[in-house]
Amino acid sequence: MIPVLVAILFYLPRPNIEAGFNVQILPLFHAVLNSATAVMLLASLYFIKRGQIKAHKVTNLIAVALSSVFLLSYVTYHFFTESTKYGDVNHDQVVDAAEKAAISGSAGIYYFILLTHIVLAAVIVPLVLFTLLRGFQSDFERHKKIARYTWPIWFYVAVTGVVVYVMISPYY
């Protein structure tokens, strides 16, 4: 449901209303949230490897909270703004031949990272929810089985969110 909502936002006409604040600060905020999520996931892994269950649980819940704030903020940003085009130096929503030539070497890398980030971001939401549910139900065997997939995907999504921001930030 969430990926469908986000996809729809990219095609809806932008509303003629003001957000009440400068939404242009949100991409940086998203990168900070993704960075903090990645740190919490590393801490979570550290704690569980040392048998510190309570700290593991707390860091995962913080990571979920950070990811939830990210999702709400991301939807807000895309509700109020047009998508930023990679390489659009003059901000006219068109990447002309000269702009394409300037980014030719990095465009493939950017779009590969972006595509894998988007696909795995859609996959990670149910994985996180099922992993949390199994942990809360004290079904630790099934929790561990799914966490083996959830953790690396979630970590990848968090880190590549920052990489995507760094790569596209010159074009905001």
Side-chain angles (χ1 to χ4, degrees):
M1 191 75 165
I2 293 168
V4 171
L5 173 63
V6 171
I8 290 170
L9 284 173
F10 281 96
Y11 296 103
L12 285 176
R14 298 295 160 250
N16 194 17
I17 57 175
E18 291 292 320
F21 66 97
N22 182 1
V23 295
Q24 297 306 316
I25 65 168
L26 291 179
L28 175 59
F29 179 59
H30 300 154
V32 169
L33 289 170
N34 276 320
S35 297
T37 298
V39 169
M40 288 296 106
L41 291 172
L42 287 170
S44 169
L45 184 63
Y46 173 85
F47 290 132
I48 200 61
K49 295 284 186 186
R50 280 150 187 77
Q52 298 173 322
I53 307 293
K54 186 173 181 179
H56 168 76
K57 187 177 189 177
V58 167
T59 53
N60 276 309
L61 291 174
I62 292 169
V64 168
L66 291 167
S67 293
S68 298
V69 171
F70 165 84
L71 185 58
L72 290 172
S73 181
Y74 183 84
V75 168
T76 299
Y77 176 74
H78 285 288
F79 180 77
F80 286 106
T81 63
E82 294 288 329
S83 292
T84 302
K85 302 215 182 299
Y86 185 72
D88 185 15
V89 175
N90 62 5
H91 310 291
D92 65 355
Q93 292 294 313
V94 175
V95 181
D96 63 29
E99 290 169 326
K100 283 181 185 173
I103 61 162
S104 65
S106 63
I109 295 166
Y110 171 78
Y111 285 114
F112 174 79
I113 293 169
L114 179 64
L115 179 64
T116 58
H117 172 79
I118 290 169
V119 169
L120 292 174
V123 168
I124 198 57
V125 174
L127 282 174
V128 167
L129 294 175
F130 282 118
T131 305
L132 281 174
L133 178 64
R134 294 198 174 134
F136 281 127
Q137 291 174 333
S138 298
D139 187 352
F140 299 122
E141 283 307 310
R142 291 174 69 199
H143 172 80
K144 282 194 254 182
K145 282 182 183 177
I146 194 169
R148 284 189 179 107
Y149 300 101
T150 303
W151 190 93
I153 294 170
W154 194 3
F155 186 74
Y156 179 86
V157 168
V159 170
T160 57
V162 177
V163 172
V164 166
Y165 168 76
V166 168
M167 291 184 78
I168 200 163
S169 64
Y171 310 110
Y172 282 120

